[in-house]
Amino acid sequence: MIYEVSNLAIIIFVFIVGLVLGLSFYFARKTKSAASYYAAGGKIHWAVNGIAFAGDYLSAASFLGICGMIAYSGYDGFLYSIGYLAGWVVALFLVAEPLRKLGKYTFTDALDARFDSRAIKLTAAISTLIVSIFYLIPQMVGAGDLVVPLLGLPHWMGVVIVGSIVIFIVATAGMTSTTYVQFIKGALLVIFSTILTIYILNNGLTLTPNANYHKFDKIAAVVANDTVVSISDSTYVIKTTKVVDKLVFVKLEKNGSNCWYHLNKKDDVANLEEMLDITVLANGDKLYNGAPKTANKFYQVGHLSKIIVDGKEVDKTGPVGPFQFIKTIENSEIVRFSKKGFTDGTDKVTVYYQKVTSGKDVMKPGLLYKLSAAAGATFWDKLNFLSLMLALFLGTSALPHILIRYYTVPSQRAARKSTIVAIAAIGFFYVLTLYMGLGSMINGVLDVESSNMSGPLLAKSIGVGLFSIISAIAFATVLGTVSGLIVASSGAIAHDFIDKYLKVEMTDHGKVKAGKIAAFCVGIFAIVLGILFKGMNVSFLVGLAFAVAASANLPAILFLLFWKKTTAKGIASSIIVGIISSIGIILFSPTMWEKYGLIPKDAPIPLDNPGIISIPLAVLTLVIVSLMTQKDNSTKDFSK
Amino acid sequence: MLHEPTNVIETDNAAPKKAKLGVILFIVYTLIYAGFVMIGLTKPELMGMELMAGQNIAIIYGFGLIVLAIVMGFIYNYFCTKMENKMNKK
């Protein structure tokens, strides 16, 4: 779709970015030592750190990705909210305090505290780098998606802008400025998401989302053997019929322009329903509903087709409470737009056809993850669901950029308290995601080309002011999270690898300089990846980062803390097996097969989420190798 | 800003007891979370069943898991602080 750029949006965007850069300048003057660069001197107050945790954790995946997933797949998107929050329980009850006690600057420091092992230093640094880069990709993709409507710039420009600003933030003041950027952004995100949710509830549910909402055509048709013989509107000419997975699509021509319709047969009545279609011609030109993009024929979609209140059909509800909102959607019918792709001669066609979905199906799992036999769920579908929920639960407390935040507070008690503040803020935000996602689903705001933009576009339907603020906050969201990731990555390269593993002699000033150079290199790499992965749902990508973290890092952390027989070799080999198995499964998964341009069903491993295989494999490796290398422990003194 | 002055990790006599409490609360939450996942895997149709106030099991269980994490966090902090104050007296 075409986005109109507003001056207000640009002003608010520039203000927020200016605020972030100003903070970096302010703290840059105070960042002289390695302790202040990597861990903010360990002097951040627990309340500030708690909200900064939320700012760090509520990344593009949470605000852009989850809202988008709920808007397109209902409750299945909310599963991410539940899993992401549940993961904090592992962090609070098992990891927070002991890790604070063991570590200095990085996650590797904590893992290696008992052993002083070169193998742990190397493998943990590699793992930190890989997990952070997996996490960086979706943030950069989200940043690119945001600048398109906000500033009217192409996707790649957004990625470059975020990359450049973040390199500047991290390279100037490290963890201190990163902390305050995350604190401000975390607080703003929760406040403005609350405002957006209040607006959704106050607006209620309506059959006509807005005055400009496109009324989709419906043409009566006569059908014989899945072929349209004639239609009621004689101004159209029937050109072609395509059957894809039992769905019938018909190309009609009017005034020299082609567009695709979906044949809907119900109770012996056949209708051709207007769709959205994108046709890529042989010469590479793209047509949106038969016309160039500038013709503005590619509409925002998503609406209710039936609203039931107290057993009666109504046109609108007026203001509703939070539970009444959910209950009314459950009793109503929603028109979603499902995607199909096929070829028509030399043209590549993607259509988005109307799919009337019962509210009951929207408000329970099943639209994205097939779970019931009735929906045709296979063993692998169920395993995928289990694997996702396992990775989300175990991934949070294994994310290096989250773990390093424990070293920014002065005590174990502060680490615990800041985790609780984080859980409360993040939990509240995740409840709001359900309302923002459902609000986007039914208010005619969805851009089918970018599920990530559902939340900001909902704000735009309310007013350009709120849209500008929400988008600028979302942009700051990306800045905050990417800053944290780059601090973690630069720590892995400069502190864990160069300083500790290679034992390169450096002054304190030299360590800070090495960290800044590493931050610059990782930032450039992140920009390239952000451009390459354009178009993928950011929450799905973050789900994969969680799986790699849960496989590579969590067994090592938990066994180190709770099993005395754990050895350095056990930890190092478990990290290696976790990384290789999780990434190996991802590379051979149906989603990646589609990314390679192959048929997803032909993927050698029918799993999209690797956790269910890679996590137990890493645990098994750790236990076996540790038991085989018990001699190593007998020579060490663990009394400290 | 809200900076605290020092960064000294002192001996914590309450650590073993706090760790034990953490493991117990973790197991309780994990079992409840596992219950949610198992319903989705074995009886997904149950998720759509109305439980109370017009809300289905998926909504109540999902919101419940989020709220429970917050409540358990506060409970954990209350007992940990109490143990620290009692066992770390100088």
Side-chain angles (χ1 to χ4, degrees), chain A residues 55-75:
Chain A
D56 203 354
Y57 194 68
L58 296 177
S59 64
S62 295
F63 180 57
L64 303 179
I66 292 181
C67 287
M69 243 186 207
I70 295 172
Y72 283 84
S73 310
Y75 192 90

Side-chain angles (χ1 to χ4, degrees), chain A residues 341-409:
Chain A
F342 55 86
T343 53
D344 176 35
T346 54
D347 298 346
K348 280 186 181 168
V349 182
T350 307
V351 295
Y352 301 87
Y353 63 97
Q354 297 181 53
K355 198 171 184 180
V356 177
T357 310
S358 150
K360 286 192 168 41
D361 291 334
V362 169
M363 296 314 305
K364 65 177 187 187
L367 292 181
L368 188 64
Y369 297 101
K370 280 190 217 161
L371 291 174
S372 66
T378 63
F379 166 78
W380 291 105
D381 289 327
K382 293 193 172 207
L383 206 62
N384 241 331
F385 171 76
L386 180 62
S387 196
L388 172 75
M389 297 309 283
L390 185 70
L392 296 183
F393 187 53
L394 299 178
T396 301
S397 46
L399 293 171
H401 74 287
I402 294 295
L403 295 176
I404 56 171
R405 189 147 286 296
Y406 285 122
Y407 309 126
T408 62
V409 289

Side-chain angles (χ1 to χ4, degrees), chain A residues 45 75 97 100 382 413, chain B residues 2 7 18 33 41 58 84:
Chain A
H45 188 276
Y75 192 90
E97 289 187 63
R100 173 67 191 88
K382 293 193 172 207
R413 185 186 282 211
Chain B
L2 296 165
N7 185 15
K18 287 193 297 180
Y33 182 80
L41 279 176
E84 283 165 352

Side-chain angles (χ1 to χ4, degrees), chain A residues 195-217:
Chain A
I195 293 172
L196 193 55
T197 303
I198 291 170
Y199 178 85
I200 294 164
L201 298 176
N202 198 43
N203 206 30
L205 295 89
T206 171
L207 290 178
T208 42
N210 57 63
N212 300 323
Y213 191 70
H214 180 69
K215 196 166 167 32
F216 285 87
D217 253 359

Side-chain angles (χ1 to χ4, degrees), chain A residues 149-212:
Chain A
L150 189 66
L151 304 176
L153 299 171
H155 183 276
W156 69 267
M157 285 276 280
V159 177
V160 172
I161 292 172
V162 163
S164 313
I165 297 172
V166 165
I167 289 171
F168 179 81
I169 296 169
V170 179
T172 48
M175 198 58 170
T176 315
S177 60
T178 299
T179 298
Y180 285 101
V181 168
Q182 288 169 348
F183 170 74
I184 293 170
K185 158 250 154 155
L188 286 176
L189 186 62
V190 173
I191 291 167
F192 279 93
S193 297
T194 309
I195 293 172
L196 193 55
T197 303
I198 291 170
Y199 178 85
I200 294 164
L201 298 176
N202 198 43
N203 206 30
L205 295 89
T206 171
L207 290 178
T208 42
N210 57 63
N212 300 323

Side-chain angles (χ1 to χ4, degrees), chain A residues 217 219-233 236-244 246-254 257-265 270-277 279 289-290 340 342-344 349-353:
Chain A
D217 253 359
I219 305 168
V222 178
V223 180
N225 298 329
D226 273 350
T227 304
V228 177
V229 180
S230 65
I231 53 175
S232 61
D233 189 338
Y236 287 98
V237 178
I238 302 167
K239 300 281 283 186
T240 324
T241 301
K242 285 271 171 190
V243 181
V244 184
K246 295 180 185 168
L247 295 162
V248 181
F249 300 115
V250 180
K251 185 161 85 174
L252 302 180
E253 188 205 308
K254 187 178 184 180
S257 159
N258 295 322
C259 48
W260 288 88
Y261 280 66
H262 170 225
L263 177 65
N264 188 359
K265 284 189 290 183
N271 282 303
L272 288 181
E273 291 175 346
E274 190 183 0
M275 299 186 290
L276 296 175
D277 69 79
T279 304
N289 282 9
K340 279 283 169 207
F342 55 86
T343 53
D344 176 35
V349 182
T350 307
V351 295
Y352 301 87
Y353 63 97

Side-chain angles (χ1 to χ4, degrees), chain A residues 1 117 200 226 235 355 447 497 626 632-633:
Chain A
M1 60 176 280
S117 148
I200 294 164
D226 273 350
T235 58
K355 198 171 184 180
D447 170 6
F497 184 68
S626 290
D632 295 0
N633 275 7

